[in-house]
Amino acid sequence: PPAPPNVMIIFGAGGDLTKRKLVPALYHLSNARLLPESFVMLGLDRLDMDDDGFRNLMGEQIRDHVGEVFEEDVWTKLCERLQYMKIDMLSGPDYELLCERLSRIDAERGTEGNYLFYMAIPPSLFSKVADHLGDVGLLHETEDDWRRVIIEKPFGRDLDSAIALNNHLHKNLDEDQIYRIDHYLGKETVQNIMVFRFANGFIEPLWNRHHIDHVQITVAESVGVEHRGAYYEEAGAMRDMIPNHLLVLLGFLAMEPPNSFEAHAMRDEVNKVLDAITPLTPEQVLTHAVRGQYGAGTMPNGEQVMAYRASNGVDPNSHTETFAALKLGMDNWRWAGVPFYLRTGKRLTAQYTEIAIQFKKAPTIMFQDTEVDELEPDMVVLRIQPNEGIQMSLGAKIPGPTMRIGTVNMDFCYEDYFGNKPATGYETLIYDCMKGDATLYKHADTVEKGWEIVQSVLDVWSALPPREFPNYAAGTWGPAAAGNLLREDGRLWRRIQ
Ligand code: BG6
């Protein structure tokens, strides 16, 4: 069913996110008839434009971002619902004008006073914008209407600043009005981790320390820092990816079955996983955490790329890491003793996200005289992106008169079953927020627990600046130390061909 009538107000509507993700997501929602008839998207920014100027700006690239399925009449209908208002986000009087504009939209378009504010702006502005909205009463809900705010990461840059941001937001907003977006939660394959585990009877009995040897979570990117040098210098690979996206994957992979798919039930289980992760001691940071920064190199397609330090907006002597790997353990009944290896980096050999679950070896005594061709231990790989799917590798007899064993793969590809449904990942998240369903959003606790896990690493890293950067060439698998993290445990990272 379509979401209830509402106005979606985007702060920072002139930015990249709106054009690349949010408007295309509204397009897909409109096409799927999930937007209400009474709907307006009001873009806010500093640029001088009228509604038509904004519609043209959004229309410029919509075909590219929507892809092959683009239909002119779907766009025409959505376009007519886009409006624009120039605003100085730091000026109080402008918010009075915003109130007037929203009342007018409600009267003309029947949007019933339901407002979804989307902060597509730098995090330093979140609290200030929320204060201004609060001052003019725009965050005040009544029995007849709702007010919600979506904020994008980063939610702070460490534990203290995340707590301060949450406290500040809570001055004007109740926790259930705040929707913290982590776009990994909008990915179909991430949501499918739960379906794979909890809708298939044969998986769950094996999903524990008795059968699983270890888990590898890889978010590899072949892209560099692109136009985001200035942001990335402040963030680095650890802050940018681990407390948020990688821990989302880990949370879904390791959680106990929740009682329902409701926001509070899911949140409690994810938080229990995060609580069970043993924070690294400063000594362990030296052996269980690896950082790297790429130098110039050649990508597999032959492209020569420059070093991180030569990127726009980056200090030529930068100590910011573009690669991070961690070995974590969990103190709970299900996972005690099972290592979870996490890695992420820019300018690596390939662009993919996957979770590889390595099962313990079967006792193969009966095959000890058998010729074994590259027998890999049983593994389940959840391919999050691209080529979304699930793969299981198994030992099988190679046909022939002698007993030979090799590894075979059973492979499920989303595309074979469900076709290629283009989506930005934001559709479900925006639609859920309009309906008031926070299941796929992050609660303040979850954000703070994510920071707690990485804080000891950040502290040691900032106290001991690296001397050896850059320590991996673009187009490789990252620094050698990342390989050693597993090799010392007698294991190897799974490589994709
Ligand atoms: C963002 C990070 O949150 O996620 C980027 O800031 C990163 O640095 C991106 O490239 C990865 O997202 P995806 O969906 O391409 O895996």
Side-chain angles (χ1 to χ4, degrees), residues 11-12 17 89-90 95 117-134 139 149-157 161-162 164-166 168-170 172-173 178-181 231 447:
F11 285 91
L17 184 75
M89 285 175 223
L90 298 178
Y95 287 78
F117 297 98
Y118 197 114
M119 303 226 191
I121 46 177
S124 54
L125 293 173
F126 293 166
S127 304
K128 292 176 188 136
V129 169
D131 286 347
H132 282 302
L133 288 172
L139 299 177
V149 177
I150 297 186
I151 57 175
E152 280 273 344
K153 72 168 243 290
F155 313 117
R157 66 182 317 277
S161 54
L165 174 62
N166 283 333
H168 197 117
L169 292 174
H170 288 146
N172 290 296
L173 291 155
I178 307 175
Y179 287 69
R180 297 178 193 78
I181 226 167
Y231 154 75
V447 168

Side-chain angles (χ1 to χ4, degrees), residues 153 183-184 187 221 228 231 240-241 245 346 385:
K153 72 168 243 290
H183 77 282
Y184 266 57
K187 292 185 193 279
E221 296 191 276
R228 300 161 71 225
Y231 154 75
D240 189 41
M241 301 294 289
H245 306 328
K346 303 269 184 203
Q385 63 190 21

Side-chain angles (χ1 to χ4, degrees), residues 6 64 82 132 152 172 208 218 242 297 331 383 408 423:
N6 72 86
D64 298 342
L82 305 185
H132 282 302
E152 280 273 344
N172 290 296
N208 55 52
T218 299
I242 294 192
D331 267 340
R383 288 196 306 268
V408 295

Side-chain angles (χ1 to χ4, degrees), residues 17 21-22 25 118 152 181 183 424-431:
L17 184 75
K21 302 280 187 187
L22 303 181
Y118 197 114
E152 280 273 344
I181 226 167
H183 77 282
T424 61
Y426 280 81
E427 290 77 4
T428 314
L429 295 170
I430 293 174
Y431 175 65

